[in-house]
Amino acid sequence: MSPQRAIRITLLTVEGFVAVTALAGGIALMLGALIPDLSLVITPPTEYLEGSSFSSYLVPGLVLALVLGGVHGLAFVLLLRRRPSASFAAAVAGYAALIWIFVQMMVIPFSFLQAVYFIAGTVELGLVMLRLGLLPIAHARQTRSARTSASTT
């Protein structure tokens, strides 16, 4: 498998994972805000929202599902269809994940999921840089491959 193919497949996997889980998490937050009986099961304690501009998890759930999930879903589709804007969309999605986590960490206590999504956003940005040939490792491999194929011909 070529390095570019491996990068594309890995990026699709990360984008798909974040899109699906952000949508599911956003729906869970919204349901918890709208159906009080579910709030104890599927939403964090409302005490986490003290000091924020939110009185419930409805708006954060909407943002999580529509913005974070939507951006990742769009990036996934663009990359799947091999559109020229796919790398740009993937970079936007990676930054969106990092911004979401940074803001979340300022409002609520640390959780394992924050680490997972921080890593996902960082991996996305790294994969975009590899895909564009901006990281020295990817450039060195491509240069080495080009030299090897040139010397065998």
Side-chain angles (χ1 to χ4, degrees), residues 11-84:
L11 190 53
L12 281 167
T13 302
V14 174
E15 288 172 348
F17 168 78
V18 176
V20 168
T21 57
L23 181 63
I27 290 170
L29 289 175
M30 290 184 286
L31 284 175
L34 296 172
I35 305 168
D37 292 340
L38 292 176
S39 67
L40 296 175
V41 178
I42 61 176
T43 60
T46 53
E47 293 84 42
Y48 290 173
L49 294 174
E50 288 177 15
S52 77
S53 55
F54 305 110
S55 59
S56 77
Y57 286 104
L58 182 61
V59 173
L62 278 168
V63 172
L64 178 60
L66 298 178
V67 176
L68 195 61
V71 168
H72 278 85
L74 176 63
F76 178 87
V77 169
L78 291 173
L79 185 57
L80 190 64
R81 293 184 176 182
R82 300 178 192 275
R83 298 287 191 235

Side-chain angles (χ1 to χ4, degrees), residues 62-111:
L62 278 168
V63 172
L64 178 60
L66 298 178
V67 176
L68 195 61
V71 168
H72 278 85
L74 176 63
F76 178 87
V77 169
L78 291 173
L79 185 57
L80 190 64
R81 293 184 176 182
R82 300 178 192 275
R83 298 287 191 235
S85 58
S87 292
F88 177 74
V92 169
Y95 280 115
L98 293 177
I99 291 167
W100 173 265
I101 291 305
F102 288 139
V103 170
Q104 194 181 70
M105 289 177 72
M106 291 175 11
V107 177
I108 66 173
F110 177 79
S111 77

